[in-house]
Amino acid sequence: MGSLGDESRAQNGAEFSKPSGIRYIEHIHGSPLNFRAQQALVLVITFLSYACYHATRKTASIVKGVLDSSSPHLSRSLPCPLFLLRPRHSSPDDGWAPFDGPDGRALLGEIDVAFLSAYSVGIYFAGHLGDRLDLRVFLAAGMAGTGLFTSLLGAGYWLDVHSFYYYLAVQMLAGLLQSTGWPSVVAVVGRWCGKGKRGLIMGVWNAHTSVGNIAGSLLAAALLKCGWGWSFLVPGLLIAAMGAVVLVFLPVNPVRVDDRERDTETCKQPLTKKAEAAAPLLREAGQATEQVAVGFIEAWRIPGVATFALCLFFSKLVAYTFLYWLPFYLSDIAIDGEYLSDSLAGTLSTLFDVGGVAGGILAGHISDRLNARAITAAGFMYCSIPALFLYRVYGGGSLHWNAALMLVAGAFVNGPYALITTAVSADLGGGASGEGGQPRALATVTAIIDGTGSVGAALGPLLTGYVSARSWNGVFTMLMGAAFVAGLLLTRLVVAEVAAKIGTSRSRGGGSPLVVEA
């Protein structure tokens, strides 16, 4: 793959500059880092970065049970050496105003939708800016800002803040800054990883979402005994520190690597005619491409973008309802006749994300082997429907049944979500790059798909706040309906992939290619 021309290099000089940490390592080592070493560094840093994003995002779901005192929680607080730092006029067992009243669940749902609405709006702008700015600086600034506003949420505990609008405003600003993360990390990884095994590689890499959720859950649950403010403050400090690592060490673009060191099988290459025929959904025949950033409207017109974006709307509605409400649900229902403490519910909820890791890797591997992203995503969405039904019906029987069914549900719910937000986004965004050029629509396409999905992510937790006050059965009915619609939206793409495979199979078998009659 050749490098960009002099004009393009001049326009994007800041983006292609090596970070100071890389230059220091090369100085100590006495020679430049090769492509493989920098690629590994990119994968590790972006993995840890987005894990930090999700760790801060997950905290709110763990703290819900402490803020709302209307549910039959047990053993809310345990001895902690930091108990002297609690507000004088606060009891850990009485909830936290204004969320301790009869409308507490609805208010918590409104806080969630405020965060996710700001995130979904911000991500469109973040993707547009990400294709035009230095992604390293852009990502680091977003992480520092996320850390600041996450910490400000925790500050409400020590400052004894009971204004609903304070938490609403801080969560909206936190959501806006969190929107810088996903388009940035996908754009960086998409530039460093080729398409051949992208589904599997990104399926493994996308485990950062579940790892972040698990780490955030365990950390927040452990810190609850010291006061819920710590559950926000510590993750906030961690993501800010990781932002400094990004600023110093993250190489965002492989153009600066010596071409002699490039592994042409790993780097991006123009699709051959055979590859284009096998992937009819990702590029129109004869579509022209340029080595410039693709506009917002042009990105929407890339084949498959709108369809996968709408599918992710419903897929993310399901996933984020679990993200924000699963710990509360576990402490609100009786499991084997007993109610779980907030800390135990938060710890148990991590199994959903453990299943999500397996589901993301499995979906990526299957989609690579079949070369069929839509078929894989739709299949997982349809399988999630019986998984959700069984979890609701039999999950209260015992902790063992709850854990086992939660793992299965997590795999089927998070599998297509992970596939669409990573490999599919990179495929579609990478299709806008010219020969030898870098994909200049990666951040924009990723933002469109994930931003549209985030609207659904905002709607799910909001509706859950109201519906769960009446019946959890209604919540699961809503989730199963959303999963069905998500699979249904991919029908046209599934048919196209099946038709392409039938045509390829006939050609290999000596038969005539598939012809669509007028």
Side-chain angles (χ1 to χ4, degrees), residues 289-326:
T289 56
E290 298 179 357
Q291 297 176 6
V292 295
V294 173
F296 184 77
I297 301 300
E298 289 79 5
W300 268 105
R301 293 172 178 168
I302 295 174
V305 169
T307 302
F308 276 110
L310 292 174
C311 173
L312 191 63
F313 175 96
F314 292 96
S315 176
K316 212 167 179 180
L317 184 153
V318 179
Y320 267 65
T321 297
F322 276 91
L323 175 69
Y324 278 95
W325 285 97
L326 181 57

CSV table of all heavy atoms in Angstrom, one decimal, residues 289-326:
chain,number,residue,atom,x,y,z
A,289,THR,N,-14.0,6.8,-5.3
A,289,THR,CA,-13.5,7.1,-4.0
A,289,THR,C,-12.3,8.1,-4.1
A,289,THR,O,-11.6,8.2,-5.1
A,289,THR,CB,-12.9,5.8,-3.3
A,289,THR,OG1,-11.9,5.2,-4.1
A,289,THR,CG2,-14.0,4.8,-3.1
A,290,GLU,N,-12.2,8.9,-3.1
A,290,GLU,CA,-11.2,9.9,-3.0
A,290,GLU,C,-10.5,9.9,-1.6
A,290,GLU,O,-11.0,9.3,-0.7
A,290,GLU,CB,-11.8,11.3,-3.2
A,290,GLU,CG,-12.4,11.5,-4.6
A,290,GLU,CD,-13.0,12.9,-4.7
A,290,GLU,OE1,-12.9,13.6,-3.8
A,290,GLU,OE2,-13.5,13.2,-5.8
A,291,GLN,N,-9.3,10.4,-1.6
A,291,GLN,CA,-8.5,10.4,-0.3
A,291,GLN,C,-8.8,11.7,0.4
A,291,GLN,O,-7.9,12.4,0.8
A,291,GLN,CB,-7.0,10.2,-0.7
A,291,GLN,CG,-6.7,8.9,-1.3
A,291,GLN,CD,-5.2,8.8,-1.7
A,291,GLN,OE1,-4.5,9.7,-1.4
A,291,GLN,NE2,-4.9,7.8,-2.5
A,292,VAL,N,-10.0,12.0,0.6
A,292,VAL,CA,-10.4,13.1,1.4
A,292,VAL,C,-11.5,12.7,2.3
A,292,VAL,O,-12.2,11.7,2.1
A,292,VAL,CB,-10.9,14.3,0.5
A,292,VAL,CG1,-9.8,14.8,-0.4
A,292,VAL,CG2,-12.1,13.8,-0.3
A,293,ALA,N,-11.7,13.4,3.4
A,293,ALA,CA,-12.8,13.1,4.4
A,293,ALA,C,-14.1,13.2,3.7
A,293,ALA,O,-14.5,14.1,3.0
A,293,ALA,CB,-12.7,14.1,5.6
A,294,VAL,N,-14.9,12.1,3.9
A,294,VAL,CA,-16.3,12.0,3.4
A,294,VAL,C,-17.2,12.9,4.2
A,294,VAL,O,-17.2,12.9,5.4
A,294,VAL,CB,-16.7,10.6,3.3
A,294,VAL,CG1,-18.2,10.5,2.9
A,294,VAL,CG2,-15.8,9.8,2.3
A,295,GLY,N,-18.1,13.6,3.6
A,295,GLY,CA,-19.1,14.4,4.3
A,295,GLY,C,-20.2,13.6,5.0
A,295,GLY,O,-20.3,12.4,4.7
A,296,PHE,N,-20.9,14.2,5.8
A,296,PHE,CA,-21.9,13.5,6.7
A,296,PHE,C,-23.0,12.9,5.8
A,296,PHE,O,-23.4,11.8,6.0
A,296,PHE,CB,-22.5,14.5,7.7
A,296,PHE,CG,-23.5,13.9,8.6
A,296,PHE,CD1,-23.0,13.2,9.7
A,296,PHE,CD2,-24.8,14.1,8.4
A,296,PHE,CE1,-24.0,12.6,10.6
A,296,PHE,CE2,-25.8,13.5,9.3
A,296,PHE,CZ,-25.3,12.8,10.4
A,297,ILE,N,-23.5,13.7,4.8
A,297,ILE,CA,-24.6,13.2,4.0
A,297,ILE,C,-24.1,12.1,3.1
A,297,ILE,O,-24.7,11.1,2.9
A,297,ILE,CB,-25.2,14.3,3.1
A,297,ILE,CG1,-25.7,15.5,4.1
A,297,ILE,CG2,-26.3,13.8,2.2
A,297,ILE,CD1,-26.8,15.0,5.0
A,298,GLU,N,-22.8,12.3,2.5
A,298,GLU,CA,-22.3,11.3,1.7
A,298,GLU,C,-22.1,9.9,2.4
A,298,GLU,O,-22.3,8.9,1.9
A,298,GLU,CB,-20.9,11.7,1.1
A,298,GLU,CG,-21.0,12.8,0.1
A,298,GLU,CD,-21.2,14.2,0.7
A,298,GLU,OE1,-21.2,14.3,1.9
A,298,GLU,OE2,-21.4,15.2,-0.1
A,299,ALA,N,-21.7,10.0,3.7
A,299,ALA,CA,-21.5,8.8,4.5
A,299,ALA,C,-22.8,8.1,4.7
A,299,ALA,O,-22.8,6.8,4.7
A,299,ALA,CB,-20.9,9.2,5.8
A,300,TRP,N,-23.9,8.8,4.9
A,300,TRP,CA,-25.2,8.1,5.0
A,300,TRP,C,-25.6,7.4,3.7
A,300,TRP,O,-26.3,6.4,3.8
A,300,TRP,CB,-26.3,9.2,5.3
A,300,TRP,CG,-26.6,9.5,6.7
A,300,TRP,CD1,-26.2,10.5,7.4
A,300,TRP,CD2,-27.3,8.6,7.6
A,300,TRP,NE1,-26.7,10.4,8.7
A,300,TRP,CE2,-27.3,9.3,8.9
A,300,TRP,CE3,-28.0,7.4,7.5
A,300,TRP,CZ2,-28.0,8.7,10.0
A,300,TRP,CZ3,-28.6,6.8,8.6
A,300,TRP,CH2,-28.6,7.5,9.9
A,301,ARG,N,-25.1,7.8,2.6
A,301,ARG,CA,-25.5,7.2,1.3
A,301,ARG,C,-24.6,6.0,1.0
A,301,ARG,O,-24.9,5.3,0.0
A,301,ARG,CB,-25.3,8.3,0.2
A,301,ARG,CG,-26.3,9.4,0.3
A,301,ARG,CD,-26.0,10.5,-0.7
A,301,ARG,NE,-27.0,11.6,-0.7
A,301,ARG,CZ,-26.8,12.7,-1.3
A,301,ARG,NH1,-25.8,13.0,-2.0
A,301,ARG,NH2,-27.8,13.7,-1.2
A,302,ILE,N,-23.6,5.7,1.8
A,302,ILE,CA,-22.8,4.5,1.5
A,302,ILE,C,-23.7,3.3,1.8
A,302,ILE,O,-24.4,3.2,2.8
A,302,ILE,CB,-21.6,4.4,2.5
A,302,ILE,CG1,-20.6,5.6,2.2
A,302,ILE,CG2,-20.9,3.1,2.4
A,302,ILE,CD1,-19.5,5.7,3.2
A,303,PRO,N,-23.8,2.3,0.8
A,303,PRO,CA,-24.7,1.2,0.9
A,303,PRO,C,-24.5,0.4,2.2
A,303,PRO,O,-23.4,0.1,2.6
A,303,PRO,CB,-24.3,0.3,-0.3
A,303,PRO,CG,-23.8,1.3,-1.3
A,303,PRO,CD,-23.0,2.3,-0.5
A,304,GLY,N,-25.6,0.2,2.9
A,304,GLY,CA,-25.5,-0.6,4.2
A,304,GLY,C,-25.5,0.3,5.4
A,304,GLY,O,-25.8,-0.2,6.5
A,305,VAL,N,-25.0,1.5,5.3
A,305,VAL,CA,-24.9,2.4,6.5
A,305,VAL,C,-26.2,2.6,7.2
A,305,VAL,O,-26.4,2.4,8.4
A,305,VAL,CB,-24.2,3.7,6.2
A,305,VAL,CG1,-24.3,4.7,7.3
A,305,VAL,CG2,-22.7,3.5,5.8
A,306,ALA,N,-27.2,3.1,6.5
A,306,ALA,CA,-28.5,3.4,7.1
A,306,ALA,C,-29.2,2.1,7.6
A,306,ALA,O,-29.8,2.2,8.7
A,306,ALA,CB,-29.4,4.0,6.0
A,307,THR,N,-29.1,1.0,6.9
A,307,THR,CA,-29.7,-0.2,7.4
A,307,THR,C,-29.1,-0.7,8.7
A,307,THR,O,-29.8,-1.0,9.7
A,307,THR,CB,-29.6,-1.3,6.4
A,307,THR,OG1,-30.2,-0.9,5.1
A,307,THR,CG2,-30.3,-2.6,6.8
A,308,PHE,N,-27.8,-0.8,8.8
A,308,PHE,CA,-27.1,-1.2,10.0
A,308,PHE,C,-27.3,-0.2,11.1
A,308,PHE,O,-27.3,-0.6,12.3
A,308,PHE,CB,-25.6,-1.5,9.7
A,308,PHE,CG,-25.3,-2.8,9.2
A,308,PHE,CD1,-24.9,-3.0,7.8
A,308,PHE,CD2,-25.5,-4.0,9.9
A,308,PHE,CE1,-24.6,-4.2,7.3
A,308,PHE,CE2,-25.2,-5.2,9.4
A,308,PHE,CZ,-24.8,-5.3,8.1
A,309,ALA,N,-27.4,1.1,10.8
A,309,ALA,CA,-27.6,2.1,11.8
A,309,ALA,C,-29.0,1.9,12.5
A,309,ALA,O,-29.1,1.9,13.7
A,309,ALA,CB,-27.5,3.5,11.2
A,310,LEU,N,-30.0,1.6,11.7
A,310,LEU,CA,-31.3,1.4,12.2
A,310,LEU,C,-31.4,0.1,13.0
A,310,LEU,O,-32.0,0.0,14.1
A,310,LEU,CB,-32.4,1.4,11.1
A,310,LEU,CG,-32.6,2.7,10.4
A,310,LEU,CD1,-33.5,2.5,9.2
A,310,LEU,CD2,-33.2,3.7,11.4
A,311,CYS,N,-30.7,-0.9,12.5
A,311,CYS,CA,-30.6,-2.2,13.3
A,311,CYS,C,-30.0,-2.0,14.6
A,311,CYS,O,-30.4,-2.5,15.6
A,311,CYS,CB,-29.8,-3.2,12.5
A,311,CYS,SG,-29.5,-4.8,13.4
A,312,LEU,N,-28.9,-1.2,14.6
A,312,LEU,CA,-28.2,-0.9,15.9
A,312,LEU,C,-29.1,-0.1,16.9
A,312,LEU,O,-28.9,-0.2,18.1
A,312,LEU,CB,-26.9,-0.2,15.7
A,312,LEU,CG,-26.0,-0.1,16.9
A,312,LEU,CD1,-25.5,-1.5,17.3
A,312,LEU,CD2,-24.8,0.8,16.6
A,313,PHE,N,-30.0,0.7,16.3
A,313,PHE,CA,-31.0,1.4,17.2
A,313,PHE,C,-31.7,0.5,18.1
A,313,PHE,O,-31.8,0.7,19.4
A,313,PHE,CB,-32.0,2.2,16.3
A,313,PHE,CG,-33.1,2.8,17.1
A,313,PHE,CD1,-33.0,4.2,17.4
A,313,PHE,CD2,-34.2,2.2,17.5
A,313,PHE,CE1,-34.0,4.8,18.1
A,313,PHE,CE2,-35.2,2.8,18.2
A,313,PHE,CZ,-35.1,4.1,18.5
A,314,PHE,N,-32.2,-0.6,17.6
A,314,PHE,CA,-32.9,-1.6,18.4
A,314,PHE,C,-32.0,-2.5,19.2
A,314,PHE,O,-32.3,-2.9,20.3
A,314,PHE,CB,-33.9,-2.4,17.5
A,314,PHE,CG,-35.0,-1.5,17.0
A,314,PHE,CD1,-35.0,-1.0,15.7
A,314,PHE,CD2,-36.2,-1.3,17.7
A,314,PHE,CE1,-36.0,-0.2,15.2
A,314,PHE,CE2,-37.2,-0.5,17.3
A,314,PHE,CZ,-37.1,0.0,16.0
A,315,SER,N,-30.9,-2.9,18.6
A,315,SER,CA,-29.9,-3.8,19.3
A,315,SER,C,-29.4,-3.1,20.5
A,315,SER,O,-29.3,-3.7,21.6
A,315,SER,CB,-28.8,-4.1,18.3
A,315,SER,OG,-27.8,-4.9,18.9
A,316,LYS,N,-29.0,-1.8,20.4
A,316,LYS,CA,-28.5,-1.1,21.5
A,316,LYS,C,-29.5,-0.8,22.5
A,316,LYS,O,-29.2,-0.6,23.7
A,316,LYS,CB,-27.8,0.2,21.0
A,316,LYS,CG,-26.6,0.6,21.8
A,316,LYS,CD,-25.8,1.7,21.1
A,316,LYS,CE,-24.6,2.1,21.9
A,316,LYS,NZ,-23.8,3.1,21.2
A,317,LEU,N,-30.8,-0.6,22.1
A,317,LEU,CA,-31.8,-0.5,23.1
A,317,LEU,C,-31.9,-1.6,24.1
A,317,LEU,O,-32.0,-1.4,25.3
A,317,LEU,CB,-33.2,-0.3,22.3
A,317,LEU,CG,-34.4,-0.1,23.2
A,317,LEU,CD1,-35.5,0.7,22.3
A,317,LEU,CD2,-35.1,-1.3,23.8
A,318,VAL,N,-31.7,-2.8,23.5
A,318,VAL,CA,-31.7,-4.0,24.4
A,318,VAL,C,-30.4,-4.0,25.3
A,318,VAL,O,-30.5,-4.2,26.5
A,318,VAL,CB,-31.8,-5.3,23.6
A,318,VAL,CG1,-31.7,-6.5,24.4
A,318,VAL,CG2,-33.0,-5.3,22.7
A,319,ALA,N,-29.3,-3.8,24.6
A,319,ALA,CA,-28.0,-4.0,25.4
A,319,ALA,C,-27.9,-2.9,26.5
A,319,ALA,O,-27.4,-3.2,27.6
A,319,ALA,CB,-26.8,-3.8,24.4
A,320,TYR,N,-28.3,-1.7,26.2
A,320,TYR,CA,-28.1,-0.6,27.2
A,320,TYR,C,-29.2,-0.7,28.3
A,320,TYR,O,-29.0,-0.1,29.4
A,320,TYR,CB,-28.1,0.7,26.5
A,320,TYR,CG,-26.7,1.2,26.2
A,320,TYR,CD1,-25.9,0.5,25.2
A,320,TYR,CD2,-26.1,2.3,26.8
A,320,TYR,CE1,-24.6,0.8,24.9
A,320,TYR,CE2,-24.8,2.6,26.5
A,320,TYR,CZ,-24.1,1.9,25.6
A,320,TYR,OH,-22.8,2.3,25.3
A,321,THR,N,-30.3,-1.3,28.0
A,321,THR,CA,-31.2,-1.5,29.1
A,321,THR,C,-30.6,-2.4,30.1
A,321,THR,O,-30.7,-2.2,31.4
A,321,THR,CB,-32.5,-2.1,28.6
A,321,THR,OG1,-33.2,-1.2,27.7
A,321,THR,CG2,-33.5,-2.4,29.7
A,322,PHE,N,-29.9,-3.5,29.7
A,322,PHE,CA,-29.2,-4.3,30.6
A,322,PHE,C,-28.0,-3.6,31.3
A,322,PHE,O,-27.8,-3.8,32.5
A,322,PHE,CB,-28.7,-5.6,29.9
A,322,PHE,CG,-29.7,-6.7,29.8
A,322,PHE,CD1,-30.5,-6.7,28.7
A,322,PHE,CD2,-29.8,-7.6,30.8
A,322,PHE,CE1,-31.5,-7.8,28.6
A,322,PHE,CE2,-30.8,-8.6,30.7
A,322,PHE,CZ,-31.6,-8.7,29.6
A,323,LEU,N,-27.3,-2.8,30.5
A,323,LEU,CA,-26.2,-2.0,31.0
A,323,LEU,C,-26.6,-1.1,32.2
A,323,LEU,O,-25.9,-1.1,33.2
A,323,LEU,CB,-25.6,-1.2,29.9
A,323,LEU,CG,-24.4,-0.2,30.4
A,323,LEU,CD1,-23.2,-1.0,30.8
A,323,LEU,CD2,-24.1,0.8,29.2
A,324,TYR,N,-27.7,-0.5,32.1
A,324,TYR,CA,-28.1,0.5,33.1
A,324,TYR,C,-29.1,0.0,34.2
A,324,TYR,O,-29.2,0.5,35.2
A,324,TYR,CB,-28.8,1.7,32.4
A,324,TYR,CG,-27.8,2.7,31.9
A,324,TYR,CD1,-27.4,2.6,30.5
A,324,TYR,CD2,-27.2,3.7,32.7
A,324,TYR,CE1,-26.5,3.5,30.0
A,324,TYR,CE2,-26.3,4.6,32.2
A,324,TYR,CZ,-25.9,4.5,30.8
A,324,TYR,OH,-25.0,5.3,30.3
A,325,TRP,N,-29.8,-1.2,33.9
A,325,TRP,CA,-30.8,-1.6,34.8
A,325,TRP,C,-30.6,-3.0,35.4
A,325,TRP,O,-31.3,-3.4,36.3
A,325,TRP,CB,-32.2,-1.5,34.2
A,325,TRP,CG,-32.7,-0.1,34.1
A,325,TRP,CD1,-32.6,0.7,33.0
A,325,TRP,CD2,-33.3,0.6,35.1
A,325,TRP,NE1,-33.2,1.9,33.3
A,325,TRP,CE2,-33.6,1.9,34.6
A,325,TRP,CE3,-33.7,0.4,36.4
A,325,TRP,CZ2,-34.2,2.9,35.3
A,325,TRP,CZ3,-34.3,1.3,37.2
A,325,TRP,CH2,-34.6,2.6,36.6
A,326,LEU,N,-29.7,-3.8,34.8
A,326,LEU,CA,-29.5,-5.2,35.3
A,326,LEU,C,-29.2,-5.3,36.8
A,326,LEU,O,-29.8,-6.1,37.5
A,326,LEU,CB,-28.5,-5.9,34.5
A,326,LEU,CG,-28.2,-7.4,34.8
A,326,LEU,CD1,-29.5,-8.2,34.8
A,326,LEU,CD2,-27.2,-8.0,33.9
